[in-house]
Amino acid sequence: MEEKEKNAIFDITKNKLFFGNVDKLHDWNDGKISQAKIIEKIKMTLKNYMELDNVSFLFGSGTSIHLGAVSIRNFPIEVEKYILGRERGDAFYSMIKKLQKEQLKDKEEGSTFKDKKGWEFIIKDSIIRDSLSGEIATEYESVLNYLTATEFLQSLTNMAEEAKQTRELISTIKEGLFEVCNVDKRKIPISELRRIIKRGKKNAFKSALKNKYHFHQLFLKSLLQRPLNLRRANIFTSNYDLAFEYAFDNLGIHYIDGFTGFHKRFFKPETFEYDIFYPGSTTSGKVQRIEKVVRYIKLHGSLSWINSIQRDSNNLYGIEEKTLDVIDKLDKKGEIIIYPSAVKKTYTLDLPYSELFRQFATTITQPQSVLITVGYSFYDEHFNDIIYQALSNPTFTLIIVDFAGTKNLEIQRLKDLNDPRIIILEGEFFGDFLTFADTLMPNFNEGSSA
C-alpha cells in the first residue's frame, strides 16, 4: 500500500469519474488496477468517442485561467479599477446596488454569508463582495445584460442623455474587459505556475514558460490525428480571449470561424459550411481534404470582433474582425462584440449570436454525436437548453471535464439523471484542462487495444 501511494499519479480522494451516477474510479481503485492503467482506460474511452463522426468540444473559462485570464463568475476587480480610473464609479456602483437589491434584503453592513454552492460573501459599503477575492459578487455578463436592457428602455422613452451615459458605461466596461482578457499580454499567475509544478511534469512546466499556449497546442495536435474520413472536429467556446487563435497560428492550423478575407475580415455565416481541399487530380477527379483544419465557433463573441463603420454588399452584417493591436490603436476597445448576458433568454438573439447558437444546436443534435465540455460551468441557460435538447437524441453522449464537477449544482443535476450517456470527469487531476490536454487526449496513431 505504501508503495502504491508513493507512485500515485493522482489523489483518489480528490477525483471522481461518473458514468451515469456510478463512480467508476472508486470501482476501479480496488488495488488490482494501477493508476496508470486507469488513465489508459479513460484515454481509450475518450478515443472511442472521439472516433465518432460528429465530435464537438465546448470550452469554458476554466481553460484560460492558467494563461492569466480572469474568471467572470464575479465582476473582475481589475475591470472595476479600470472603471474608477475613467471616473465612472458613481454610475457603476449605483447600478450594482440596484442589481443586488434583492440579495441585500435583511443583511447588515459587514456581515458575511454563504450561498447554496458554499461560496462566502461579505457586505462592504452596501455591496456584496466575494470574501476571498474582494470582487463584486455579480457576474460580469449579468452587469452587461442589465445595462443593455436599461439602455434599450431609455432609448424607447426619450431619455436620450441617460441612454448616452449608459452606452458610455457599457463601452468603459468593455474596454476594461479587453485589457484583462488579452491573454497574450498577461503573465501566467504564480498560483498557476505552482499548480503546473505540482503536477510533477518538469518538461511541461518548461514548455509552458516558453510558450503559454503549450497545453492548447497539445490538445490540438492530438485532435488533428483523427482519421481524415471523419467529419471535421468542432471547437465551440464561450471565451472572449484569443488563446485558441494563437495556438492555431503557432501550429499552422486553418480554422473556419465564420469570417472571410485577409486584410479585411467580415462575418459571413455561410462560410461555416465551407471546407478546404487539395486540388483534384485531372485524371481521377478525386480530391483530398487538407489535414490541419477545424471548425471554430466563438459563441459569446470575441475581443477581436467590432462593429464596422459602414455596411456594404461585402459586409452585410456590419461585423469585422481585426487584430487586437489594431483595435487598441484605433481606440475601438469599447466597441468589441461580446455577448451581453449568459442568462437573458427573454431577449431576442440578434446576429451574430443567433447564427452562432444555431450552429451549436445543429451540430450537437445530429445523430451519433458527442459533446465534450471542458472548464464549462453550465451557467449559461442558452447552452444548457441546447445540450438538454441533444440529450433527447438516444445516440448523443455528453462528457463533462470540470474541476468542481458535481459540486456544481447544474452538473449534479445531470449526474442525478443517472444516464450512462453522461460521463463526468471531476477533481484536481481528471477535471483539469492541463491533464486533459497532456495526459488524457488519446493518440489516434496507436492501436485500439488498451
Side-chain angles (χ1 to χ4, degrees):
M1 184 67 179
E2 292 180 0
E3 185 66 23
K4 184 178 177 181
E5 291 181 354
K6 181 180 178 181
N7 297 325
I9 303 171
F10 55 87
D11 186 340
I12 193 71
T13 65
K14 296 181 180 179
N15 293 275
K16 294 180 181 179
L17 171 63
F18 291 104
F19 283 72
N21 65 0
V22 177
D23 184 1
K24 288 288 187 180
L25 198 59
H26 182 271
D27 291 348
W28 291 341
N29 187 49
D30 58 2
K32 297 178 181 178
I33 302 179
S34 67
Q35 291 196 351
K37 189 65 175 178
I38 289 174
I39 290 172
E40 286 304 312
K41 287 172 72 72
I42 295 172
K43 286 180 68 172
M44 186 53 60
T45 299
L46 291 172
K47 181 181 180 182
N48 290 337
Y49 282 112
M50 289 187 202
E51 286 179 337
L52 292 176
D53 199 36
N54 194 29
V55 175
S56 301
F57 297 84
L58 173 58
F59 290 97
S61 60
T63 60
S64 291
I65 297 298
H66 72 284
L67 302 175
V70 297
S71 170
I72 55 175
R73 178 179 66 84
N74 297 315
F75 194 90
I77 200 162
E78 291 179 64
V79 180
E80 180 183 350
K81 290 178 180 178
Y82 185 90
I83 294 168
L84 294 177
R86 296 299 182 274
E87 298 182 350
R88 299 192 184 279
D90 290 344
F92 174 70
Y93 289 132
S94 174
M95 176 268 302
I96 291 294
K97 289 175 182 177
K98 290 177 182 177
L99 268 174
Q100 295 185 342
K101 185 177 180 181
E102 288 300 315
Q103 295 171 279
L104 282 166
K105 280 185 177 179
D106 303 321
K107 293 182 176 67
E108 297 180 358
E109 178 71 19
S111 63
T112 61
F113 65 96
K114 291 184 178 181
D115 66 3
K116 294 178 180 178
K117 300 179 184 119
W119 299 103
E120 185 174 276
F121 304 97
I122 187 169
I123 300 174
K124 290 184 178 180
D125 299 323
S126 300
I127 290 176
I128 302 172
R129 292 182 178 271
D130 183 277
S131 291
L132 186 63
S133 66
E135 294 178 329
I136 293 172
T138 302
E139 287 184 356
Y140 177 90
E141 289 179 336
S142 295
V143 172
L144 278 186
N145 174 36
Y146 178 85
L147 290 173
T148 300
T150 299
E151 191 273 335
F152 178 73
L153 291 173
Q154 290 169 338
S155 299
L156 288 179
T157 53
N158 298 320
M159 300 172 67
E161 183 58 32
E162 290 86 349
K164 177 176 178 290
Q165 292 176 2
T166 302
R167 285 194 297 272
E168 289 174 349
L169 180 56
I170 291 173
S171 180
T172 301
I173 290 173
K174 287 184 176 182
E175 289 174 4
L177 185 76
F178 183 94
E179 298 294 337
V180 302
C181 285
N182 187 358
V183 293
D184 208 44
K185 290 188 176 180
R186 294 179 68 82
K187 294 181 179 179
I188 300 177
I190 297 297
S191 60
E192 290 300 313
L193 288 175
R194 286 173 179 162
R195 186 164 71 91
I196 296 173
I197 292 172
K198 186 179 178 182
R199 299 173 73 244
K201 294 196 174 185
K202 293 182 180 179
N203 290 336
F205 174 69
K206 292 178 181 177
S207 298
L209 288 179
K210 294 178 182 177
N211 170 23
K212 63 165 57 179
Y213 309 109
H214 168 70
F215 293 100
H216 284 76
Q217 291 175 205
L218 284 178
F219 161 75
L220 291 169
K221 286 178 181 178
S222 178
L223 181 65
L224 290 173
Q225 293 174 6
R226 292 176 71 240
L228 275 176
N229 64 316
L230 300 175
R231 295 182 188 179
R232 301 290 191 191
N234 307 288
I235 297 177
F236 297 93
T237 181
S238 60
N239 297 342
Y240 308 130
D241 62 59
L242 273 62
F244 269 110
E245 286 91 329
Y246 291 128
F248 292 146
D249 288 348
N250 289 346
L251 296 175
I253 295 173
H254 299 276
Y255 54 99
I256 300 167
D257 66 346
F259 285 80
T260 61
F262 292 94
H263 298 296
K264 290 187 176 181
R265 291 179 55 78
F266 301 120
F267 182 67
K268 293 187 177 182
E270 63 269 23
T271 62
F272 283 124
E273 311 306 323
Y274 290 3
D275 207 334
I276 304 175
F277 295 82
Y278 291 107
S281 167
T282 55
T283 56
S284 65
K286 293 181 179 179
V287 293
Q288 181 182 354
R289 288 200 315 181
I290 290 178
E291 295 89 345
K292 299 169 74 171
V293 178
V294 296
R295 296 180 76 242
Y296 179 58
I297 301 173
K298 304 188 78 169
L299 295 168
H300 275 184
S302 176
L303 297 183
S304 60
W305 301 0
I306 60 171
N307 289 303
S308 300
I309 297 175
Q310 62 185 28
R311 300 187 183 192
D312 55 35
S313 59
N314 196 40
N315 183 20
L316 295 175
Y317 302 99
I319 301 170
E320 190 171 355
E321 184 175 30
K322 293 184 178 294
T323 60
L324 299 193
D325 57 337
V326 169
I327 292 175
D328 200 357
K329 290 176 183 176
L330 293 176
D331 196 23
K332 296 282 187 180
K333 292 179 289 186
E335 298 178 28
I336 56 175
I337 299 177
I338 55 175
Y339 192 48
S341 170
V343 295
K344 63 167 197 170
K345 292 169 63 177
T346 54
Y347 295 100
T348 301
L349 287 174
D350 200 356
L351 279 165
Y353 307 111
S354 57
E355 177 59 31
L356 300 174
F357 280 44
R358 188 186 73 81
Q359 288 290 330
F360 183 48
T362 301
T363 300
I364 72 169
T365 54
Q366 293 177 18
Q368 298 293 331
S369 296
V370 59
L371 174 67
I372 302 172
T373 70
V374 186
Y376 168 58
S377 59
F378 283 80
Y379 286 148
D380 189 299
E381 293 183 26
H382 282 106
F383 294 179
N384 296 350
D385 285 350
I386 295 170
I387 291 171
Y388 275 103
Q389 179 186 350
L391 281 168
S392 67
N393 186 333
T395 63
F396 174 76
T397 300
L398 174 63
I399 300 175
I400 300 168
V401 180
D402 187 78
F403 187 92
T406 51
K407 294 177 183 176
N408 177 312
L409 290 179
E410 291 298 327
I411 297 177
Q412 177 65 40
R413 286 194 187 101
L414 286 163
K415 170 183 168 286
D416 290 342
L417 294 175
N418 193 20
D419 188 331
R421 298 173 303 147
I422 300 175
I423 301 170
I424 304 171
L425 286 76
E426 73 171 71
E428 63 179 20
F429 184 79
F430 287 114
D432 183 22
F433 170 64
L434 308 189
T435 300
F436 183 75
D438 75 357
T439 304
L440 300 182
M441 276 298 290
N443 183 348
F444 293 93
N445 295 324
E446 291 179 346
S448 298
S449 61

